[in-house]
């Protein structure tokens, strides 16, 4: 039997409960909104499922690999963008007036902010899903910015083993990997 959780607060629901005992949300409403997730079909759907979103859990290996890939890609994009900017800045200085250069610098600043903010948002969502695997609320990720305690939170996200079995944030991601591997080997 699968354990039911409140869609509003995430607490474990007693069997045959009509309302969540913690927050009072009707259980029928939460059950009627449940839909089976479909497998992503396109690259963007796969990206959204893997990197964009705070629902569910993320094991250590996936968290570390995805975080490293975000760091590497953001570094590559910034390096390529900066190389292009040096070339265009030199060309603009020789060919245009000061007003165009100011406009160019403003657009350049906006693009650089986007190149900084987007990876940070993705890393934040990955960290929240990793905290869910530890059985903790995603709010703990905000403590990464607190001096000294942030080091503990970052270490915990990278090193601590996730809770075994299902928790209030979803099924165990390691159990799902084992199930997928068994189904692939059964087809062979």
């Amino acid at each position: 039997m699968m354990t039911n959780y409140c869609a509003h607060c995430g607490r474990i629901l007693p069997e045959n409960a009509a309302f969540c005992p913690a927050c009072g949300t009707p259980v029928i409403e939460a059950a009627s909104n449940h839909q089976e997730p479909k497998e992503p079909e396109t690259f963007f759907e796969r990206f959204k499922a893997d990197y964009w979103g705070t629902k569910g859990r993320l094991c250590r290996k996936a968290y570390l690999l995805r975080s490293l890939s975000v760091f590497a890609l953001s570094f590559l994009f910034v390096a390529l963008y900066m190389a292009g900017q040096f070339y265009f800045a030199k060309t603009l200085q020789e060919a245009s007036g000061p007003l165009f250069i100011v406009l160019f610098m403003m657009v350049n600043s906006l693009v650089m902010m986007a190149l900084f903010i987007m990876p940070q948002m993705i890393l934040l969502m990955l960290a929240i899903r990793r905290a869910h695997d530890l059985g903790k609320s995603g709010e703990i990720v905000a403590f990464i910015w607190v001096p000294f305690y942030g080091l503990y939170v970052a270490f915990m996200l990278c090193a601590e083993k996730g809770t075994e079995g299902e928790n209030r944030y979803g099924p165990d991601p390691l159990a799902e990997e084992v199930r997928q591997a068994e189904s692939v080997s059964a087809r062979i």
Side-chain angles (χ1 to χ4, degrees):
M1 185 179 101
M2 193 165 153
T3 307
N4 291 326
Y5 296 90
C6 175
H8 180 71
C9 70
R11 301 281 167 102
I12 296 176
L13 296 171
E15 194 172 333
N16 301 325
F19 295 92
C20 174
C23 70
T25 303
V27 175
I28 297 167
E29 175 186 311
S32 65
N33 291 336
H34 178 71
Q35 296 177 351
E36 286 296 317
K38 64 176 191 167
E39 196 62 32
E41 297 172 3
T42 66
F43 169 78
F44 294 107
E45 288 176 351
R46 182 86 242 158
F47 176 82
K48 185 178 176 188
D50 287 348
Y51 290 88
W52 198 265
T54 58
K55 299 251 187 247
R57 296 170 59 181
L58 193 62
C59 66
R60 279 182 294 191
K61 180 180 175 183
Y63 172 69
L64 291 172
L65 290 175
R66 290 177 189 174
S67 295
L68 288 174
S69 69
V70 168
F71 277 123
L73 285 174
S74 64
F75 178 79
L76 178 68
F77 287 147
V78 168
L80 290 173
Y81 184 76
M82 291 302 292
Q85 293 311 304
F86 287 127
Y87 171 76
F88 288 122
K90 188 175 183 182
T91 307
L92 284 174
Q93 224 173 12
E94 296 168 357
S96 60
L99 182 62
F100 190 76
I101 291 174
V102 169
L103 181 64
F104 173 77
M105 290 175 67
M106 289 172 56
V107 170
N108 183 37
S109 298
L110 292 173
V111 171
M112 285 301 292
M113 283 187 347
L115 286 174
F116 175 75
I117 290 171
M118 288 303 291
Q120 294 301 316
M121 290 175 60
I122 293 171
L123 291 169
L124 176 68
M125 288 183 243
L126 292 175
I128 289 171
R129 289 174 54 204
R130 178 68 188 126
H132 288 174
D133 190 42
L134 299 171
K136 300 181 184 330
S137 169
E139 295 167 354
I140 195 168
V141 174
F143 290 107
I144 284 180
W145 302 108
V146 175
F148 302 111
Y149 186 68
L151 292 173
Y152 166 72
V153 172
F155 179 76
M156 178 184 61
L157 292 174
C158 292
E160 193 173 313
K161 188 176 192 287
T163 56
E164 289 188 21
E166 186 174 330
N167 70 13
R168 67 182 180 171
Y169 299 105
D172 188 351
L174 294 178
E176 286 182 22
E177 288 178 11
V178 170
R179 232 179 291 125
Q180 288 175 355
E182 288 173 353
S183 67
V184 168
S185 64
R187 282 187 250 156
I188 296 176

